[in-house]
Amino acid sequence: MIEAELKARVHAPEAVMRLLDERAQARVEVYRDTYYDRPDGSLEKTGEELRVRTVHGADGTRTVLTYKGAAVDEESDSKPEHETVVEDADQAHAILRGLGHVEVIAFEKRCRNYDFTARGRQLLATLVRVPELNGTFLEVETLVDEDDVTAALDDIRAVLADLGIGAEDLTRETYTGAVTAQRS
C-alpha cells in the first residue's frame, strides 16, 4: 500500500483543531521517532526510511517498526509503507543495530490524531508540534493502491481546503531534515 500524504504548515492551529474536533475525537499522543540508515547513508540517498516509533498515549505505549520505500509521487513524496507493531522497543533497536544499521536521528513529535471518513476515504489527520521546530504542521494521509495515489491526493487537498489550508501552505520539508538543520 502507498501512504498518500500531504503536509502543511498551519498558521491558525486553534481554528484547524476546532474544525478537526468537529469531525472526530482527538487522540493525543507523543511519538519518539528514531531513524536508521546503513552506514553509507544509502537509504536516505534513495529516499527510503527505516524508523522505530514509540507512541505514548492515553491507551498506553506501543512501538511500531516502519519501512518506507522511495517516493512514487514527486509532488507529495507519497511512499510505499510497511509497518508492524513490535513488542519490545529496545529489542527492535538492538535488531536494527545488529543488522548493521546506524541511528541517524531521534526526536519527539507531539501529535493530535483524528481518524475520520471524508470523500469516501478513511483519513488520518495529525496536528504535529516538534518541540525543536517553530510552528505547527498538519499531515493528512490515507493508504491506497499505487494507481489511486493521484485521486487520493486530490481528495486530501479538498479536505485541507475545508480546514482552511491552501496550496501555498503545503510543504515537502521533512521533520528529519528540519531537526537536523536546527541542531547544526
Side-chain angles (χ1 to χ4, degrees):
M1 298 294 284
I2 307 297
E3 178 188 61
E5 175 182 14
L6 291 171
K7 180 168 68 171
R9 287 191 167 275
V10 178
H11 303 290
E14 294 80 15
V16 172
M17 185 170 48
R18 279 192 300 275
L19 291 170
L20 287 168
D21 284 340
E22 292 172 6
R23 291 177 180 251
Q25 183 171 351
R27 263 187 352 267
V28 178
E29 298 175 318
V30 176
Y31 297 176
R32 178 68 180 169
D33 288 352
T34 304
Y35 286 82
Y36 287 88
D37 203 337
R38 296 180 183 119
D40 64 0
S42 59
L43 290 177
E44 181 181 0
K45 289 175 190 166
T46 58
E48 297 169 278
E49 298 175 43
L50 183 58
R51 176 185 70 212
V52 175
R53 169 175 285 166
T54 299
V55 180
H56 303 279
D59 296 335
T61 299
R62 69 185 184 285
T63 299
V64 181
L65 174 65
T66 304
Y67 165 75
K68 293 185 181 187
V72 297
D73 178 84
E74 288 184 26
E75 181 183 348
S76 67
D77 281 339
S78 293
K79 298 178 174 195
E81 180 177 284
H82 307 278
E83 64 183 14
T84 190
V85 174
V86 295
E87 188 172 312
D88 186 319
D90 291 335
Q91 292 301 312
H93 291 285
I95 289 167
L96 293 177
R97 287 190 302 271
L99 291 170
H101 292 88
V102 294
E103 183 178 316
V104 176
I105 193 166
F107 57 90
E108 183 179 281
K109 291 169 56 177
R110 297 178 185 163
C111 301
R112 287 181 67 88
N113 293 298
Y114 298 87
D115 290 297
F116 59 93
T117 301
R119 303 181 68 83
R121 296 185 187 277
Q122 184 60 38
L123 300 173
L124 171 63
T126 305
L127 276 170
V128 178
R129 293 264 311 124
V130 178
E132 294 178 68
L133 304 177
N134 291 324
T136 300
F137 299 87
L138 176 63
E139 304 169 12
V140 179
E141 65 187 59
T142 187
L143 291 175
V144 297
D145 292 324
E146 190 167 352
D147 61 353
D148 194 27
V149 170
T150 300
L153 291 171
D154 288 343
D155 290 340
I156 290 171
R157 282 184 195 86
V159 169
L160 287 168
D162 291 345
L163 297 170
I165 305 292
E168 68 280 2
D169 300 316
L170 296 178
T171 180
R172 290 179 54 208
E173 180 181 36
T174 64
Y175 300 116
T176 54
V179 169
T180 298
Q182 185 68 25
R183 291 179 182 174
S184 296

